[in-house]
Amino acid sequence: MHHRTSRRTLLTATAATVAAAATGAVSAPGAAAASASSSASTTKRLKQLISRMSLEEKVGQLFVMRVYGHSATEPDQADIDANLAEIGVRTAAEMIAKYHVGGIIYFAWAHNTRDPHQIADLSNGIQRAGLAGPTPLPLLISTDQEHGIVCRVGEPATLMPGAMALGAGGSPSDARRAGQIAGAELAAIGINQNYAPDADVNVNPANPVIGVRSFGADPQAVAAMVAAQVKGYQSAGIASTAKHFPGHGDTNTDSHTGLPYIHHTREQWAELDSPPFRAAIAAGIDAIMTAHIVVPALDPAEDPATLSRPILTGILREELGYDGVVVTDSLGMEGVRTKYGDERVPVLALQAGVDQLLNPPRLDVSWNALLAAVKSSEISEARIEESILRILRLKTKLGLFDDPFVTHRGVDRAVGTQSHLAAADRIAEHTTTLLANDGAVLPLSRRSHKNLLVVGADPASPSGTTGPPTITLATAFGELGYAATALSTGTAPTQAKIAEAVAAAQGKDAVIVGTYNVSATSSQRTLVSALVATGIPVITLAIRNPYDIAQLPAHAASLAAYSWTDVELRAAARVIAGRAEPEGKLPVPVQRAGDPTQVLYPVGYGLTY
C-alpha cells in the first residue's frame, strides 16, 4: 500500500482542527467510557468544529452514498462510467470533494468488495479524501453484513450463520461471539459501521423481505439475541445498527418494490415489535435504521415511518429515549418514494427526526433539495447541526478522528483466521434443526447409505464467493466419507430436470434435496414427490425459510439450515452424517399449508438423535 506517508501528513495537518475534537473519545474496544466532564468537553469541541463548516459541508455530512469501484481514485472504466451516469462524478474521491458526504456504503455489486486487502485500500483512499476537504473529516464507512442471506463481504472473510440460524441455536453467547468476530474483521478492512442486526420479529411466514434475516417470531427471544449481537459488534470497535424501526416483521409486501402496511394496534406493536429495539437501546446501540412501512396505529397520517415525526421523534426519541444516530433505509427503495418525490424525501426525513440519509437514487437532487430547504428556512441550520453532532460523536467514539486508517498487516491478523473459521463452524453446528425423521433414517450410516445424490436449488451466493449449495453439500459429504454426486435442479425444476434427477437417483442409497421457499404451486414439490416415488429415502434440507416442510409430501427426513452459505451447509451435512447432533430448535412456528391457524411445528420444536 502507499498510504503511509499520506496518513502521517494528513493527520499532522489536521491535528489542530480535528484531533482536538476527539478529546475524551473512546477509540479502542474495551476502553473506559469518558467522564461526564470529558464528554461535555468533547461536545463543545465538536460544536466548534461544526461552526467552522460551510453550509454545503453540513448538508453533505448527512448523506451516506454508494459509489462504484474498487479504488477511491482509480476505479475501472466501467465503474467510472456508472459513477458519471448516476452521481455525476468519476470516483469516490471526487464525490467526497463535491458533495462532502459523511459516509459511504459498500456493495458487492458496486465492485467495492473484491478482497480484504483491496477493501482496506479503498477504505483508506476514502478516508484520505475526507481528510483532504476544506474541513478535514473522516467518513463512516458502512455495509450490510448481516451474515446468512445478506452478506456483502465474502470469503476469505469469516462467514457466520445468519440471524434465524442463530435464533435456532438459541445461544446469546454464540450471537455475541459471532458479532464480535464479524465486527473485528469489518474493522480490519476499514468498515466502521454495520447495518446489523435485524431487530424485526418475523411473525408472517409470507414476509418476502425479512424472513430468515430475523432471529425469530418470539419478541423476547429476538430481543435477547439482538442485544447480544449489538454488544458483540460494538465490542469490536464498530457501530452496530438495529433495523428496521418500528418493525418490518409482519408484512407481505417488499419495501424495495412497494409500500407495506402493518396493521398492528398500538398495543400489538408494543408487545410484538418494540422489545428488540428497546433491548438494542438498553445495550447501547450506536444507530437505528428506519423502515419504509406504514403503521396507521402509530401515525394516522399514514406516512412511511422513515418520514414520520410521530414515529421517529414521538416514539423512538421521546418514548424510547433514544438519542443516537437514526439512519434511513435506502432512499432508492420504492417504499419511501411512493407518496413523495425524491426532492421532498430528504427534507421530510430530517423533519421527522432522521440524522443520516442513505443512498438516495440521485445524490444531486437530494443534496440540492436539502440545501435549498435550509436556505429557505424550511429546515433550520440548528436542526441539521443537531444531526451532525450525533454523527460526529459517533465518529469520535469509533476513534476515526484519532486514526481512521487500516493496514494490510491488520487485515492479515484479523480476517478469516483459523480461530475465527473454527468458531463459525462450532456456532453453526448448534443451529441445524431436525423436523422429521421417519423410520430413524438419520443419521445416515456410511455402511447402508454411502452413495448419495444431492439435488435442489442453487441460489447465488449472498456474497458472490461461496457455493453453489448442491456442490458444497456434495463436497462436504465426500469429506465425511460418502460418495456424493451433485445435480442442480433449480428453484423451479422443469419436467425434464425432474426426470433427470429421478434417473440420477437410480442406484443411490439416499437423496438429499435442498429446497428453497417452496410454495403451493412450486415444482419443487413435484421434484420431491417424484423422488419419493422411487422408493429411495429422500431427505429435504430447507436452505432458506424453514416453512418448506409444510408444502412437501411425506418423506424420510427433513431439516432446516436457514441459509445456503457454506458454513451452514457444512454444519447440516455433519448433522445428517451423525458427526454432530441436531441441536437447533425452531425460532418460528411452521403452520399447516392452507390453514395458518393450525401449527404443525411450534416455536421450540426440534428432534434429536
Side-chain angles (χ1 to χ4, degrees):
M1 289 193 299
H2 56 275
H3 74 256
R4 297 183 186 280
T5 301
S6 298
R7 169 168 52 177
R8 183 177 297 278
T9 302
L10 285 168
L11 287 176
T12 301
T14 61
T17 56
V18 179
T23 300
V26 179
S27 59
S35 67
S37 60
S38 180
S39 177
S41 175
T42 299
T43 297
K44 180 179 179 180
R45 288 187 174 90
L46 289 175
K47 287 182 175 179
Q48 290 171 346
L49 177 61
I50 293 169
S51 71
R52 293 192 291 270
M53 295 166 61
S54 68
L55 179 58
E56 290 76 11
E57 288 176 306
K58 291 177 182 178
V59 168
Q61 275 299 294
L62 305 176
F63 285 92
V64 180
M65 188 61 184
R66 70 188 178 281
V67 67
Y68 291 86
H70 71 287
S71 164
T73 54
E74 299 176 351
D76 295 338
Q77 187 60 49
D79 293 321
I80 291 174
D81 294 342
N83 285 329
L84 287 170
E86 295 186 19
I87 312 172
V89 298
R90 293 166 51 86
T91 67
E94 288 182 14
M95 181 176 70
I96 294 165
K98 182 174 181 178
Y99 290 105
H100 315 290
V101 295
I104 285 181
I105 180 173
Y106 287 170
F107 292 103
W109 53 258
H111 309 136
N112 304 140
T113 58
R114 289 181 178 176
D115 65 75
H117 285 178
Q118 167 269 317
I119 299 170
D121 291 344
L122 173 61
S123 299
N124 286 337
I126 285 168
Q127 298 295 4
R128 279 196 297 273
L131 295 181
T135 305
L137 292 167
L139 279 85
L140 286 169
I141 299 175
S142 58
T143 199
D144 292 287
Q145 191 79 347
E146 297 175 18
H147 292 268
I149 71 167
V150 176
C151 211
R152 313 301 188 201
V153 180
E155 293 182 348
T158 305
L159 299 180
M160 288 287 172
M164 192 169 285
L166 291 171
S171 169
S173 63
D174 277 355
R176 180 169 182 162
R177 178 62 175 149
Q180 191 277 327
I181 289 172
E185 297 198 8
L186 291 177
I189 58 179
I191 296 174
N192 46 55
Q193 182 171 13
N194 191 17
Y195 295 139
D198 191 301
D200 301 310
V201 181
N202 199 78
V203 295
N204 187 344
N207 193 325
V209 65
I210 304 301
V212 292
R213 297 169 64 191
S214 162
F215 288 104
D218 181 285
Q220 299 306 321
V222 173
M225 302 300 278
V226 165
Q229 285 243 285
V230 168
K231 292 174 182 175
Y233 284 123
Q234 294 186 182
S235 72
I238 68 167
S240 180
T241 308
K243 58 187 184 186
H244 308 79
F245 190 84
H248 209 320
D250 189 9
T251 173
N252 53 15
T253 301
D254 186 342
S255 50
H256 291 85
T257 56
L259 178 57
Y261 274 67
I262 291 184
H263 295 286
H264 290 178
T265 65
R266 188 69 163 75
E267 293 73 24
Q268 287 173 323
W269 174 81
E271 180 183 350
L272 292 173
D273 300 297
S274 73
F277 292 101
R278 292 179 184 274
I281 293 168
I285 187 75
D286 283 324
I288 290 178
M289 179 179 285
T290 68
H292 305 325
I293 58 173
V294 171
V295 189
L298 304 186
D299 183 357
E302 299 192 6
D303 281 331
T306 298
L307 310 180
S308 169
R309 185 170 178 83
I311 291 175
L312 297 187
T313 297
I315 295 177
L316 181 57
R317 295 286 192 208
E318 295 173 358
E319 181 178 328
L320 301 189
Y322 177 67
D323 192 39
V325 171
V326 173
V327 57
T328 70
D329 206 343
S330 171
L331 297 183
M333 294 166 61
E334 194 60 33
V336 78
R337 304 173 75 189
T338 298
K339 193 172 180 179
Y340 302 99
D342 290 338
E343 73 284 352
R344 291 302 299 160
V345 165
V347 177
L348 295 172
L350 262 291
Q351 290 175 333
V354 158
D355 301 307
Q356 288 184 305
L357 301 159
L358 177 62
N359 199 28
R362 288 292 303 273
L363 179 58
D364 58 341
V365 170
S366 297
W367 191 88
N368 283 308
L370 192 54
L371 185 66
V374 178
K375 287 182 175 179
S376 70
S377 299
E378 182 181 6
I379 294 179
S380 70
E381 198 161 348
R383 168 64 190 89
I384 67 169
E385 288 178 355
E386 178 185 320
S387 287
I388 295 165
L389 180 59
R390 289 194 187 98
I391 293 165
L392 296 187
R393 278 176 176 160
L394 180 53
K395 292 180 179 183
T396 300
K397 176 187 176 184
L398 298 176
L400 299 181
F401 283 116
D402 294 334
D403 183 358
F405 299 101
V406 293
T407 67
H408 282 192
R409 185 180 177 189
V411 170
D412 294 339
R413 283 200 303 259
V415 177
T417 65
Q418 286 303 310
S419 64
H420 286 179
L421 295 172
D425 280 333
R426 285 196 303 272
I427 292 169
E429 278 193 356
H430 302 156
T431 67
T432 305
T433 306
L434 179 60
L435 298 175
N437 191 19
D438 292 346
V441 68
L442 297 183
L444 284 183
S445 166
R446 281 183 296 169
R447 290 189 298 273
S448 57
H449 295 87
K450 184 173 184 177
N451 295 314
L452 307 179
L453 174 66
V454 179
V455 304
D458 271 339
S461 167
S463 63
T465 62
T466 64
T470 53
I471 292 177
T472 298
L473 280 168
T475 301
F477 283 117
E479 292 171 351
L480 294 169
Y482 297 81
T485 303
L487 173 64
S488 177
T489 49
T491 56
T494 63
Q495 283 298 329
K497 187 58 72 172
I498 292 170
E500 183 181 355
V502 169
Q506 300 306 311
K508 302 298 184 183
D509 299 319
V511 182
I512 316 295
V513 184
T515 63
Y516 183 96
N517 290 9
V518 180
S519 68
T521 59
S522 174
S523 58
Q524 293 179 72
R525 300 175 71 192
T526 311
L527 171 67
V528 173
S529 293
L531 290 168
V532 169
T534 66
I536 300 167
V538 173
I539 299 148
T540 61
L541 176 67
I543 63 172
R544 188 166 176 167
N545 289 342
Y547 312 111
D548 291 359
I549 188 172
Q551 297 286 354
L552 297 173
H555 54 284
S558 185
L559 307 95
Y562 308 98
S563 180
W564 60 95
T565 49
D566 289 8
V567 67
E568 288 167 278
L569 296 175
R570 289 195 304 265
R574 292 195 296 276
V575 168
I576 291 170
R579 301 297 182 87
E581 291 291 322
E583 297 181 31
K585 306 298 180 185
L586 276 176
V588 293
V590 174
Q591 296 148 328
R592 185 179 300 279
D595 185 3
T597 65
Q598 298 293 316
V599 174
L600 292 176
Y601 305 99
V603 170
Y605 181 87
L607 301 176
T608 56
Y609 294 149

